[in-house]
């Protein structure tokens, strides 16, 4: 699996957009980028995933650079309940493993 | 049903005890996983099951013994654990191993304390 690099922590003001970066410079052509978050002591929660194109759902947007070596998760209007650890993961097709990187602790402040 | 259910939510056991963690899903997923998560660390993969057969063991000590009795159920049998095995144990499932376009669904975990 390609490795991911994320900043250990970020702050965001409530109501503002939170932009969480992820570097995956060794990603291969068939590897998907996944984002999960984990609120204190709960199970990881799926947010969004993509391969090449930008993606949007009701929770967030995922922007993947054209060379696919990095991506950004965007929470458009962060709330206090978005305070969590956010994990960026790459997953190769036909491969059994889903490895977590170190993640980014997002602190949303009033 | 779109959930992975783990029981118990909390477990305290002595080092000589035998206990089991249970994980259940009814989404028709054919791949199931056990992860271990220490405090302030990311989850670490332990075991992978595919179609009820053990596919991957990430060099986990034999005091942890997984079992997949059917496609909906995954157990983790615990015996002679050490205090350093205290952690959050997470179960997950996915459609199958080959579909990278489908993510994992995680349970809420079992908080294990070994005394």
């Amino acid at each position: 699996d390609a490795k991911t690099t994320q900043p250990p922590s970020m702050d965001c003001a409530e109501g503002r957009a939170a932009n969480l970066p992820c570097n995956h410079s060794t990603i291969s052509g068939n590897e998907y980028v996944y984002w999960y978050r984990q609120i204190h002591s709960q199970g990881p929660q799926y947010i969004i995933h993509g391969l090449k194109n930008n993606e949007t759902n009701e929770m967030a947007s995922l922007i993947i650079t054209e060379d696919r070596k990095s991506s950004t998760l965007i929470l458009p209007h962060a709330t206090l309940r978005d305070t969590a650890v956010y994990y960026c993961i790459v997953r190769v097709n036909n491969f059994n493993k889903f490895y977590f990187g170190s993640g980014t602790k997002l602190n949303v402040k009033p | 049903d779109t959930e992975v259910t783990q029981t118990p939510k909390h477990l305290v056991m002595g080092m000589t005890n035998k206990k089991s963690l249970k994980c259940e899903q009814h989404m028709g997923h054919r791949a199931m996983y056990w992860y271990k998560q220490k405090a302030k660390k990311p989850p670490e993969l332990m075991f992978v099951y595919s179609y009820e057969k053990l596919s991957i063991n990430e060099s986990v000590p034999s005091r942890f013994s997984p079992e997949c009795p059917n496609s909906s159920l995954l157990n983790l049998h615990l015996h002679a654990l050490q205090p350093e095995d205290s952690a959050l144990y997470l179960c997950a499932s996915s459609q199958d191993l080959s579909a990278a376009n489908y993510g994992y669904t995680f349970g809420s975990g079992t908080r294990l304390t070994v005394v």
Side-chain angles (χ1 to χ4, degrees), chain A residues 57-107:
Chain A
N57 62 22
E58 64 279 4
M59 288 183 68
S61 295
L62 173 60
I63 308 297
I64 302 175
T65 57
E66 194 169 338
D67 63 7
R68 304 208 327 120
K69 293 186 176 182
S70 65
S71 60
T72 301
L73 177 74
I74 301 172
L75 307 178
H77 305 287
T79 71
L80 297 178
R81 285 180 291 184
D82 292 322
T83 293
V85 178
Y86 287 77
Y87 293 102
C88 168
I89 305 161
V90 292
R91 182 183 184 190
V92 66
N93 209 6
N94 293 319
F95 204 60
N96 310 342
K97 304 179 183 181
F98 206 65
Y99 288 120
F100 287 78
S102 299
T104 296
K105 175 69 192 306
L106 176 67
N107 300 299

Side-chain angles (χ1 to χ4, degrees), chain A residues 38 41-44 100, chain B residues 4-13 19-24 33-39 41-47 58 60-66 74-93 105-115:
Chain A
Q38 189 172 26
S41 291
Q42 297 180 20
F100 287 78
Chain B
V4 172
T5 302
Q6 289 189 244
T7 55
K9 293 195 181 304
H10 300 274
L11 177 63
V12 179
M13 63 183 290
K19 296 287 185 182
S20 296
L21 309 184
K22 179 180 173 182
C23 173
E24 200 163 3
Y33 313 82
W34 280 114
Y35 283 81
K36 173 182 177 180
Q37 186 174 26
K38 302 283 282 184
K41 296 291 186 182
E44 297 178 357
L45 183 65
M46 299 175 71
F47 301 105
E58 289 285 295
V60 178
S62 60
R63 57 185 183 269
F64 295 91
S65 176
L74 185 67
N75 297 320
L76 185 63
H77 302 298
L78 314 172
H79 173 55
L81 294 193
Q82 303 297 312
E84 58 263 30
D85 295 322
S86 298
L88 180 68
Y89 287 84
L90 293 162
C91 175
S93 70
T105 301
F106 283 84
S108 56
T110 294
R111 174 73 60 190
L112 174 68
T113 303
V114 181
V115 297

Side-chain angles (χ1 to χ4, degrees), chain A residues 5-24:
Chain A
T5 304
Q6 299 176 254
S9 66
M10 293 182 65
D11 291 335
C12 177
E14 189 178 19
R16 303 298 294 270
N19 296 277
L20 292 91
C22 179
N23 182 291
H24 32 79

